[in-house]
């Protein structure tokens, strides 16, 4: 059972105190409180877990702070869509709105390499009116001898440059929970010039302890990539791990599936699942055409496969695009062959806008 409180209910109000007193004393029921900061209001949701079958919806709705109650199913309790559940999706972070109804583009470097490339990338984003990017500092690599990312050493100059160019959110993969503190300490020291969305890569989709650690903190939203070799249901449950620990600001990212049948692409593009994820859950859905396609190949009519894949995802209703660009792909330390060129950025952004307008119609 889920009890949704009246918007902007103060946690020190008498109505809240009475409501909590009642709920916390229900036998066999444990209570979990989730705060959601939307663009215009703050919502408090109270999940009642355990022996809730005998509770009546009317009884919960009669409590002074409760606006309405919803009986929720076991699947994706917090992030899922339930019968008669008309809650809004998404959240606002660092002034940027993330929902199932809008679109944010995160073009950027797969891996941070040298300051000059980061500068060029961010300058191009600023010139094109973009306020989000992707920047990999901690890289999960197949081969232990491959470049593993600059780690915390590059954070100060990456964050400073982001602030300088008006970047509000950087999607940054972390591979260990200690990276959360490294990012947080650095941002705090610099006076928080930008924001970070913690990315969990496809290799870590079911790293449950990492998911729990990211779920326990509420400062940074999370971007969870679908596991490339597991079912959609398993990946959605992984997302629920984040929410179950307290952080429901989660975006789910499709990035292609590992299969021989996916050749000649690096992965089998799975963007037809965008509407399915939006139907099953309230998470905004991201697509990563770069790691799906894995190359700068073009169709005979000259269109990049990455653009075709992006269009499929955006027309299917994607809410975020995570895409690799690089000023000099031949010099990139990770995934250069799939990075688009800076000169392709304006047309790429324009094509995405056209696809998004088509979807909205
Ligand atoms: C970068 O985004 C990933 O770390 C990369 O795709 C890993 O692949 P690889 O280590 O097999 O090159
Ligand atoms: C990435 O986006 O940098 C990345 C490593 O992607 P994935 O986890 O999807 O391979």
């Amino acid at each position: 059972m889920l009890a949704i409180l009246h918007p902007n209910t103060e946690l020190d109000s008498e109505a809240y105190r009475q409501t909590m007193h009642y709920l916390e004393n229900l036998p066999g029921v444990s209570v979990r409180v989730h705060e959601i900061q939307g663009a215009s209001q703050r919502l408090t949701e109270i999940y009642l877990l355990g022996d809730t079958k005998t509770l009546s919806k009317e009884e919960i709705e009669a409590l002074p702070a409760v606006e309405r109650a919803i009986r929720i199913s076991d699947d994706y309790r917090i992030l899922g869509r339930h019968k008669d559940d008309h809650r809004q999706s998404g959240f606002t972070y660092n002034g940027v709105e993330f929902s199932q109804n809008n679109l944010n583009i995160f073009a950027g470097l797969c891996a941070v390499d040298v300051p000059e490339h980061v500068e060029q990338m961010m300058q191009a984003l600023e010139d094109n009116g973009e306020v989000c990017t992707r920047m990999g500092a901690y890289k999960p690599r197949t081969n232990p001898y491959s470049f593993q990312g600059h780690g915390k050493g590059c954070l100060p100059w990456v964050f400073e440059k982001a602030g300088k160019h008006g970047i509000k959110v950087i999607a940054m993969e972390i591979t260990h929970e200690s990276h959360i503190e490294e990012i947080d300490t650095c941002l705090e020291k610099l006076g928080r010039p930008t924001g970070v969305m913690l990315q969990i890569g496809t290799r870590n989709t079911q790293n449950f302890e990492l998911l729990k650690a990211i779920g326990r903190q509420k400062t940074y939203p999370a971007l969870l990539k679908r596991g490339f070799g597991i079912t959609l249901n398993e990946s959605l449950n992984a997302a629920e791990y984040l929410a179950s620990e307290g952080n429901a600001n989660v975006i789910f990212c499709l990035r292609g599936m590992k299969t021989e049948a996916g050749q000649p692409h690096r992965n089998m593009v799975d963007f037809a699942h965008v509407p399915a994820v939006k139907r099953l859950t309230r998470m905004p859905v991201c697509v990563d055409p770069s790691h799906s396609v894995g190359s700068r190949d073009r169709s005979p009519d000259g269109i990049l496969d990455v653009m075709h894949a992006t269009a499929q995802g955006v027309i299917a209703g994607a809410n975020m695009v995570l895409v690799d660009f690089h000023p000099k792909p031949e010099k990139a330390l990770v995934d250069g062959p799939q990075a688009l060129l800076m000169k392709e950025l304006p047309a790429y952004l324009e094509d995405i806008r056209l696809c998004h307008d088509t979807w909205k119609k």
Side-chain angles (χ1 to χ4, degrees):
M1 181 84 80
L2 166 63
I4 301 175
L5 304 194
H6 296 290
N8 300 319
T9 297
E10 296 297 340
L11 302 194
D12 58 1
S13 65
E14 190 48 34
Y16 183 78
R17 253 194 301 275
Q18 279 180 23
T19 301
M20 287 308 279
H21 179 75
Y22 183 89
L23 297 176
E24 282 170 343
N25 285 296
L26 288 169
V29 172
S30 66
V31 170
R32 254 186 214 184
V33 180
H34 279 258
E35 295 271 350
I36 302 143
Q37 185 60 57
S40 59
Q41 58 185 18
R42 184 174 43 77
L43 276 183
T44 306
E45 298 180 341
I46 302 183
Y47 287 84
L48 305 175
L49 308 175
D51 195 6
T52 58
K53 289 223 163 44
T54 55
L55 294 180
S56 89
K57 197 165 146 0
E58 292 71 31
E59 172 189 356
I60 304 300
E61 285 179 340
L63 295 169
V66 176
E67 185 184 70
R68 66 204 155 92
I70 299 172
R71 205 168 273 291
I72 52 177
S73 57
D74 277 351
D75 281 343
Y76 331 130
R77 281 187 188 185
I78 298 170
L79 296 172
R81 284 193 181 283
H82 307 285
K83 196 166 172 285
D84 301 326
D85 178 2
H86 307 296
R87 283 172 297 161
Q88 292 284 333
S89 62
F91 55 90
T92 298
Y93 171 64
N94 213 24
V96 182
E97 190 198 335
F98 296 90
S99 81
Q100 282 195 343
N101 300 315
N102 72 348
L103 176 68
N104 292 293
I105 300 163
F106 283 63
L109 305 186
C110 180
V112 170
D113 43 31
V114 294
E116 188 192 348
H117 294 155
V118 171
E119 177 71 28
Q120 286 170 7
M121 185 72 235
M122 291 188 181
Q123 181 67 60
L125 291 169
E126 186 180 10
D127 292 346
N128 285 279
E130 295 297 320
V131 295
C132 299
T133 190
R134 56 158 298 149
M135 288 284 150
Y138 308 93
K139 296 306 299 177
R141 303 306 303 278
T142 305
N143 185 327
Y145 307 110
S146 298
F147 175 64
Q148 307 279 315
H150 288 311
K152 72 173 178 183
C154 70
L155 299 181
W157 52 269
V158 170
F159 293 160
E160 269 168 4
K161 284 183 187 302
K164 173 180 154 197
H165 292 290
I167 300 292
K168 294 186 174 165
V169 188
I170 303 176
M172 183 173 276
E173 178 163 0
I174 63 166
T175 54
H176 190 271
E177 66 172 280
S178 60
H179 300 155
I180 305 172
E181 203 183 323
E182 291 178 5
I183 290 170
D184 192 54
T185 306
C186 183
L187 281 174
E188 186 62 31
K189 209 165 163 183
L190 297 172
R192 301 202 176 267
T194 188
V196 167
M197 177 179 286
L198 300 175
Q199 183 177 322
I200 301 122
T202 195
R203 293 160 181 77
N204 275 314
T205 307
Q206 285 188 311
N207 181 341
F208 298 119
E209 296 312 314
L210 178 64
L211 296 174
K212 286 186 206 166
I214 295 175
R216 278 193 295 272
Q217 62 76 40
K218 293 187 190 159
T219 311
Y220 305 103
L223 174 66
L224 178 81
K225 294 257 191 128
R226 177 186 191 163
F228 53 23
I230 58 176
T231 64
L232 183 61
N233 173 267
E234 286 164 333
S235 291
L236 295 178
N237 269 298
E240 186 71 15
Y241 260 92
L242 295 157
S244 73
E245 292 288 328
N247 189 350
N249 291 347
V250 183
I251 296 176
F252 188 78
C253 181
L254 297 167
R255 49 81 67 212
M257 301 295 293
K258 212 178 240 316
T259 155
E260 281 305 306
Q263 297 301 330
H265 289 158
R266 190 177 183 190
N267 290 283
M268 180 73 108
V269 180
D270 55 354
F271 298 169
H273 290 180
V274 170
V277 178
K278 289 171 85 169
R279 190 168 60 242
L280 291 167
T281 79
R282 296 178 299 116
M283 287 185 279
V285 182
C286 174
V287 291
D288 176 345
S290 303
H291 288 80
S292 299
V293 168
S295 78
R296 303 192 63 257
D297 288 345
R298 290 172 186 271
S299 57
D301 57 11
I303 312 283
L304 289 156
D305 286 12
V306 168
M307 185 61 233
H308 276 294
T310 306
Q312 286 167 24
V314 175
I315 286 183
N319 309 110
M320 174 170 162
V321 176
L322 190 71
V323 59
D324 294 0
F325 273 78
H326 200 285
K328 292 196 182 108
E330 68 287 359
K331 294 238 156 84
L333 298 178
V334 186
D335 287 347
Q338 70 195 25
L340 305 190
L341 309 177
M342 306 311 293
K343 64 174 189 217
E344 290 166 336
L345 183 65
Y348 181 80
L349 294 174
E350 177 57 20
D351 287 349
I352 292 185
R353 294 287 163 217
L354 291 173
C355 295
H356 186 56
D357 289 348
T358 305
W359 171 72
K360 279 203 297 199
K361 279 186 201 137

